[in-house]
């Protein structure tokens, strides 16, 4: 099938119209007409080759919401017309220990990512959700619960599961004290999830102006991280801290706010961390951990949880033709809190 898309053709040129052929359905495949696609900061990094491994042309997009248009002969869980979603991965080996325990995102042999990856059968480059149609192996397709606003589900497939997963991994629930560093695309969802799980939630921010918004999202407290006295008074205040800041920053000031045996989980940064003293880790038996996204089972659990609690990201809808402006605004931090592309605007963008 000939597909309309938007792609980055090099690191310096804005995304532009692009067309390519999706593969024919294999027996285990689900074909999906894409309705909406969230815009992740990873899309910007990959388009700009910030990490040095972009394979052009890059068709970004791994926060995909759509409707099933066809299924392969071996598909049993989906039928034409179902509302479905696709996240950051579309295949794995399905055989290694991690895959067998439903942690496909940590496949020993490497996952097939939704875009800028390699198809495990043909070796072809995978193209993502900035397109009008996608074909995905059944095991990596997710069901969208009835009642959720389809136009806002997309960011749950990356920002959502990336923050939900560590909260579940570190057993956050009633009585837990959770700190969330940063109140952006990941941070605002971490606040919503932690609150819905019953935790006492504190947002740690450099901006006093975010206090009211943090409370509206479900935070119980706001801690100004630039206030040395307030940070000192918050010693031993948290069992878990979810760090969503996407740029280089000092972890040192946050370590003393962890209780003994507490964990600071890095969810938002793929850059180097400045040096810090090990003393707070040793003296309090504290931990610094990282988290990728979650496996498919846990991602479905998250979507079902969102369906029960009506948890959705705060989004701004854009047209496909406005993606260059959206990237520019993301670089300035001018979005509250995630962009979502209405894929019904693709034909107009292609014709412009």
């Amino acid at each position: 099938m000939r597909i309309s898309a938007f792609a980055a053709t090099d690191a310096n040129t804005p995304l532009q119209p692009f067309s390519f052929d999706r593969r024919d359905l294999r027996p285990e495949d689900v074909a999906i007409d894409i309705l909406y696609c969230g815009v992740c900061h990873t899309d910007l990094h990959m388009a700009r080759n910030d990490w040095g491994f972009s394979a052009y042309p890059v068709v970004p997009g791994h926060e995909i919401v759509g409707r099933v248009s066809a299924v392969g002969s071996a598909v049993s869980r989906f039928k034409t017309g179902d509302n479905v979603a696709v996240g950051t991965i579309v295949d794995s080996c399905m055989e290694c220990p991690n895959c067998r325990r439903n942690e496909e995102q940590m496949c020993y042999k490497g996952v097939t990512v939704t875009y800028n990856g390699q198809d495990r059968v043909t070796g072809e480059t995978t193209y993502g959700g900035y397109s009008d149609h996608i074909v995905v192996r059944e095991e990596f397709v997710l069901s969208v619960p009835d009642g959720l606003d389809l136009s806002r589900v997309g960011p749950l497939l990356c920002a959502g599961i990336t923050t939900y997963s560590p909260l579940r991994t570190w057993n956050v629930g009633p009585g837990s004290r959770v700190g969330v560093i940063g109140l952006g695309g990941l941070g605002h969802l971490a606040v919503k999830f932690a609150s819905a799980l019953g935790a006492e939630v504190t947002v740690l921010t450099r901006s006093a102006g975010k206090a009211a918004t943090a409370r509206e999202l479900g935070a119980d407290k706001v801690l100004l991280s630039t206030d040395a006295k307030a940070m000192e008074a918050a010693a031993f205040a948290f069992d878990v801290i979810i760090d969503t800041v996407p740029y280089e920053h000092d972890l040192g000031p946050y370590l003393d706010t962890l209780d003994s045996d507490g964990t600071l989980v890095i969810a938002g940064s793929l850059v180097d961390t400045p040096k810090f003293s090990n003393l707070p880790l040793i003296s309090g038996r504290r931990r610094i951990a990282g988290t990728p996204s979650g496996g498919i089972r846990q991602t479905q659990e998250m979507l079902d949880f969102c369906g029960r609690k009506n948890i959705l990201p705060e989004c701004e809808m854009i047209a496909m033709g406005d993606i260059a402006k959206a990237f520019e605004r993301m670089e300035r931090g001018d979005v509250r809190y995630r962009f979502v592309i209405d894929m019904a605007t693709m034909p107009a963008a292609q014709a412009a």
Side-chain angles (χ1 to χ4, degrees), residues 2-167:
R2 196 68 177 167
I3 301 301
S4 296
F6 262 57
T9 56
D10 60 56
N12 302 308
T13 305
L15 270 66
Q16 56 191 280
F18 176 68
S19 62
F20 64 96
D21 291 322
R22 289 281 186 201
R23 69 170 187 258
D24 292 334
L25 262 68
R26 299 168 190 152
E28 68 276 12
D29 281 341
V30 177
I32 302 164
D33 291 332
I34 300 176
L35 303 176
Y36 303 99
C37 186
V39 180
C40 178
H41 218 95
T42 297
D43 301 344
L44 175 61
H45 288 306
M46 293 300 295
R48 303 280 172 82
N49 199 25
D50 289 339
W51 298 323
F53 53 81
S54 299
Y56 296 105
V58 173
V59 177
H62 57 202
E63 298 179 346
I64 299 165
V65 179
R67 189 162 291 129
V68 175
S69 59
V71 297
S73 60
V75 171
S76 60
R77 293 174 45 237
F78 300 100
K79 64 183 184 305
T80 301
D82 285 349
N83 293 327
V84 294
V86 177
T88 60
I89 57 177
V90 292
D91 208 349
S92 71
C93 79
M94 305 294 286
E95 297 174 348
C96 73
N98 276 347
C99 286
R100 287 198 301 269
R101 64 189 183 98
N102 301 296
E103 298 279 15
E104 302 92 346
Q105 79 281 14
M106 297 184 290
C107 174
Y108 285 6
K109 297 180 181 180
V111 298
T112 300
V113 290
T114 306
Y115 70 88
N116 202 63
Q118 286 189 319
D119 185 278
R120 300 184 89 85
V121 176
T122 66
E124 295 173 306
T125 299
T126 55
Y127 292 138
Y130 291 15
S131 59
D132 53 18
H133 188 82
I134 194 167
V135 176
V136 180
R137 181 173 171 172
E138 177 184 24
E139 291 90 342
F140 292 83
V141 178
L142 299 144
S143 297
V144 178
D146 293 339
L148 281 183
D149 181 351
L150 295 180
S151 70
R152 294 172 61 191
V153 167
L156 295 174
L157 281 305
C158 181
I161 186 58
T162 300
T163 51
Y164 180 85
S165 184
L167 293 171

Side-chain angles (χ1 to χ4, degrees), residues 20-352:
F20 64 96
D21 291 322
R22 289 281 186 201
R23 69 170 187 258
D24 292 334
L25 262 68
R26 299 168 190 152
E28 68 276 12
D29 281 341
V30 177
I32 302 164
D33 291 332
I34 300 176
L35 303 176
Y36 303 99
C37 186
V39 180
C40 178
H41 218 95
T42 297
D43 301 344
L44 175 61
H45 288 306
M46 293 300 295
R48 303 280 172 82
N49 199 25
D50 289 339
W51 298 323
F53 53 81
S54 299
Y56 296 105
V58 173
V59 177
H62 57 202
E63 298 179 346
I64 299 165
V65 179
R67 189 162 291 129
V68 175
S69 59
V71 297
S73 60
V75 171
S76 60
R77 293 174 45 237
F78 300 100
K79 64 183 184 305
T80 301
D82 285 349
N83 293 327
V84 294
V86 177
T88 60
I89 57 177
V90 292
D91 208 349
S92 71
C93 79
M94 305 294 286
E95 297 174 348
C96 73
N98 276 347
C99 286
R100 287 198 301 269
R101 64 189 183 98
N102 301 296
E103 298 279 15
E104 302 92 346
Q105 79 281 14
M106 297 184 290
C107 174
Y108 285 6
K109 297 180 181 180
V111 298
T112 300
V113 290
T114 306
Y115 70 88
N116 202 63
Q118 286 189 319
D119 185 278
R120 300 184 89 85
V121 176
T122 66
E124 295 173 306
T125 299
T126 55
Y127 292 138
Y130 291 15
S131 59
D132 53 18
H133 188 82
I134 194 167
V135 176
V136 180
R137 181 173 171 172
E138 177 184 24
E139 291 90 342
F140 292 83
V141 178
L142 299 144
S143 297
V144 178
D146 293 339
L148 281 183
D149 181 351
L150 295 180
S151 70
R152 294 172 61 191
V153 167
L156 295 174
L157 281 305
C158 181
I161 186 58
T162 300
T163 51
Y164 180 85
S165 184
L167 293 171
R168 297 289 286 132
T169 299
W170 277 275
N171 300 311
V172 166
S176 300
R177 300 165 300 161
V178 175
V180 177
I181 306 175
L183 198 62
L186 273 71
H188 90 287
L189 282 168
V191 170
K192 289 190 176 191
F193 284 136
S195 178
L197 288 166
E200 178 186 85
V201 185
T202 301
V203 169
L204 294 91
T205 177
R206 297 172 59 87
S207 173
K210 293 185 177 180
T213 300
R215 291 189 171 90
E216 289 172 3
L217 292 168
D220 300 288
K221 302 175 183 177
V222 177
L223 177 58
L224 195 62
S225 59
T226 53
D227 185 333
K229 289 185 178 179
M231 290 290 284
E232 184 177 349
F236 305 103
F238 306 117
D239 304 305
V240 176
I241 296 175
I242 307 297
D243 184 351
T244 71
V245 176
Y247 48 80
E248 184 177 304
H249 59 289
D250 185 7
L251 299 182
Y254 303 105
L255 298 180
D256 286 331
T257 68
L258 283 172
D259 203 349
S260 302
D261 290 313
T263 305
L264 186 152
V265 185
I266 298 173
S269 179
L270 293 178
V271 297
D272 292 339
T273 299
K275 291 182 180 179
F276 57 87
S277 170
N278 289 332
L279 181 60
L281 300 180
I282 295 169
S283 63
R285 204 162 60 196
R286 301 174 174 103
R287 295 174 292 272
I288 296 174
T291 184
S293 61
I296 298 301
R297 176 182 289 182
Q298 191 175 66
T299 305
Q300 187 64 62
E301 174 192 306
M302 175 209 63
L303 288 173
D304 294 341
F305 182 73
C306 290
R308 293 193 302 273
K309 300 287 188 177
N310 195 31
I311 296 173
L312 287 165
E314 305 301 310
C315 301
E316 179 180 337
M317 192 67 60
I318 64 169
M320 186 73 257
D322 292 331
I323 189 62
K325 294 178 182 177
F327 275 12
E328 292 172 1
R329 287 179 56 191
M330 285 172 63
E331 288 185 300
R332 300 196 303 268
D334 179 23
V335 54
R336 189 180 183 273
Y337 286 94
R338 302 288 281 199
F339 289 118
V340 174
I341 305 166
D342 181 354
M343 300 310 298
T345 65
M346 177 68 81
Q350 290 274 329

